[in-house]
Amino acid sequence: MTTPILDVHQLRTWYPVRRGLLGRGAAWLRAVDDVTFTVMRGETLAIVGESGCGKSTLGRTILRFVEPTEGNVWLDGHRITEMSRVELRRLRRHMQVVFQDPASSLSPRMRVRDIIAEPLVNFGLAGDRAAVDARVADLLCQVGLPRSAAERYPHEFSGGQRQRIAIARALAPEPDLIICDEAVSALDTSSKAQIVNLLSDLQQRLGLALLFISHDLAVVEHIADRVAVMYLGKIVEIGERAALFEQPAHPYTRALLSAVLDPSPARRHARIMLRGEVPSPIDPPSGCRFRTRCPYAFDRCAAEEPELRERPNGQSAACHLDALPALS
Amino acid sequence: MALIEVDALSTLFPSGEGDLRAVDGLSFAVQPGETVAIVGESGSGKSVTVMSIMRLLGAATRHEGAVRFEGRDLLALSEAEMRKVRGNRIGMIFQEPMTALNPVQTIGSQIAESLRLHRGLSRRDSRARALEMLSLVGIPAPERRIDEYPHQLSGGMRQRVMIAMALACDPALLIADEPTTALDVTVQAQILDLIREQARKLGAGVILITHDLGVVAELADRVIVVYAGRKVEEGTAAEILDRPRHPYTRGLLEATPRLRGGGGHRAGRMTEIPGNVPGLAEILAGCAFEPRCAHAQPCCRIERPPEVPVAQDHLVVCRRAEPVS
């Protein structure tokens, strides 16, 4: 069996928070709370959920922008949790990131050439100036930008084009894995489709693995091989895209899918209106964390936390119900 | 009679390279009780349009055309007169409540302030009405929440507070600029329901600014599609969403990610609109969409396209559209 490119095991990222005027009674914000999954080479795993579910903290913990409280992460068989900063630096070229807002992740004072060349220089992958220029031109071509873009500054480009620059920079050190943190969420409709297609093309051509963090299920359906749904720091359902989209096994997945609005009046569907909003991750509900908003909650849900269990369709869901009630 | 009539509105920002025309001769009207969506991508001028209507752009901005509302041209009012319109006859809901609400003032006193200003209510009466508004928009435990600050509330709750503020003076017109864009999907439906229900109760007209055609399908009676500051198509929501005629509107609908609702195993590529939205400084003598249009003819580059009625209540600004016989 092949080694997964990314192996995340029982990962916890808790932040200490102060309570009360004197900071007594310290509590924990459980942003990521016991998360386990793998990503194979060339695969796209989407992490979906609403704000506060911990999906971005999960990405940042894997990148070690934030230190995990517990658990482990292996990148291509190397345990990157507990690695020293120096060791991590060397390995980081294999794992790159594209953020939501290219305007704030690209330095406004650097030319596009230098932005894309930076990782080449940092990881010692650069040859002489001519070699760097050739590589930058090649990367620009791969992301669909003209060679002349190299001499310009980020502000001269539209949002979609800036995201292409960010992708070119991420590709520069030839990574095995790119973490896309809401990478298309801030884009307009027409550039969103372009960037999703670009990521799919690059992935197929270069054999990249993607960890695609997003709140947008309609986009995820176009790009993901597998999908993990997070709620209040935990994965509540994980499985193959088709199984999870066609027959969700967790009530939260079903509600998320039903909340996606469709422009065609003919394609309106029954909507499951969830009560209220996501509770605080500082004080999550007992038992199942979703029970306070779940239309199907019963006594056992408050008393006992459901484990992820495999379902007949192959996906795993953390719900006490074996099957969801039929939609009326 | 129309509640508000925007007549050949242009908004010009002065710059070193001459005036930048963010809105370019836009006309539309909203009837009482009607929800009109202005749909477009960033740079289309949709937000600038409502900022112009509300006169919220700086003194350097120049306007052409007219905005007739309750018998007056808003573009001709003094700032003092305009202040009596904003938050009173016209309520506004913005995308990001955190920047629209005052962070150092309790939510109750923010709502009460506009009631004292516009309605001359006493301190006690305005607080009572603020409480009533908070409960109307579905804030749980409003008597406790009324003395809280914006940062103590969740995103969805803040958006409800802003709706309460916008509605407090019973406005005739509600302007909602991307009201659910910053919200989670499961909260979005709640907020759209709230806007729809409250506007109906007041009989208010609504101008909805959005890039999201799914939101349009939920809320709008009529739709105006804008591109590069110009109207490209206008019609009932059913006409525009089911029978779009302009190549740009069609492209937008096809590029909108949507669930396939089961069946098939590969989701595959998304439909793209090639190219990019033109910059404000670009001079477009002909159709603004021509550089990206698969159906463009040489004349599209030279001449502005005509407004062509293609059905009852459906107008397309395109040379290739066939008029209704």
Side-chain angles (χ1 to χ4, degrees), chain B residues 8 11 13 45 55 117 267 271:
Chain B
T11 307
F13 298 118
R55 297 258 311 274
L117 184 71
T271 310

Side-chain angles (χ1 to χ4, degrees), chain A residues 113-114 117 120 128-140 147 150-151:
Chain A
R113 178 205 179 269
D114 299 319
L120 297 173
D128 57 10
R129 196 180 162 85
V132 171
D133 283 340
R135 177 81 178 124
V136 168
D138 170 49
L139 286 161
L140 285 171
R147 193 182 274 260
E151 296 312 315

Side-chain angles (χ1 to χ4, degrees), chain B residues 3 11 13 19 24 39 45-46 92 135 143 152 154 199 233 268 306 315 321:
Chain B
L3 172 64
T11 307
F13 298 118
D19 287 348
D24 192 358
V39 180
K46 59 188 191 303
M92 277 205 80
S135 121
E143 56 292 332
Q152 294 173 281
S154 69
E233 188 160 7
L315 196 76

Side-chain angles (χ1 to χ4, degrees), chain B residues 201-222:
Chain B
K201 252 191 232 166
L202 280 174
V206 179
I207 298 176
L208 171 72
I209 304 294
T210 183
H211 70 283
D212 186 335
L213 291 164
V215 170
V216 170
E218 286 292 308
L219 222 52
D221 301 310
R222 217 147 45 77

Side-chain angles (χ1 to χ4, degrees), chain A residues 19-174:
Chain A
R19 270 190 186 170
L21 275 179
L22 299 170
R24 274 183 294 210
W28 296 94
L29 187 155
R30 304 168 179 203
V32 176
D33 202 9
D34 193 7
V35 165
T36 298
F37 64 85
T38 58
V39 182
M40 303 307 289
R41 280 188 178 275
E43 184 189 44
T44 299
L45 175 71
I47 309 275
V48 302
E50 297 178 278
S51 47
C53 75
K55 59 189 190 300
S56 285
T57 305
L58 174 63
R60 301 175 73 84
T61 310
I62 292 167
L63 289 156
R64 273 190 69 188
F65 294 165
V66 205
E67 291 299 323
T69 312
E70 257 182 66
N72 278 298
V73 176
W74 286 267
L75 181 70
D76 200 14
H78 305 278
R79 186 156 75 168
I80 53 174
T81 37
E82 296 181 17
M83 207 173 248
S84 73
R85 288 280 152 194
V86 181
E87 289 174 289
L88 184 65
R89 224 181 111 75
R90 240 182 338 200
L91 214 62
R92 192 164 267 159
R93 68 167 274 216
H94 300 288
M95 176 168 64
Q96 292 292 302
V97 61
V98 176
F99 291 109
Q100 169 168 358
D101 183 9
S104 58
S105 69
L106 302 175
S107 167
R109 276 188 285 274
M110 284 168 75
R111 284 181 203 274
V112 169
R113 178 205 179 269
D114 299 319
I115 289 171
I116 297 174
E118 195 174 38
L120 297 173
V121 175
N122 283 352
F123 293 114
L125 306 167
D128 57 10
R129 196 180 162 85
V132 171
D133 283 340
R135 177 81 178 124
V136 168
D138 170 49
L139 286 161
L140 285 171
C141 172
Q142 288 197 45
V143 299
L145 287 172
R147 193 182 274 260
S148 61
E151 296 312 315
R152 294 160 65 191
Y153 290 90
H155 73 87
E156 299 176 56
F157 296 89
S158 70
Q161 290 170 319
R162 281 199 289 255
Q163 205 57 303
R164 289 177 194 268
I165 297 167
I167 292 170
R169 179 180 59 183
L171 290 176
E174 297 177 31

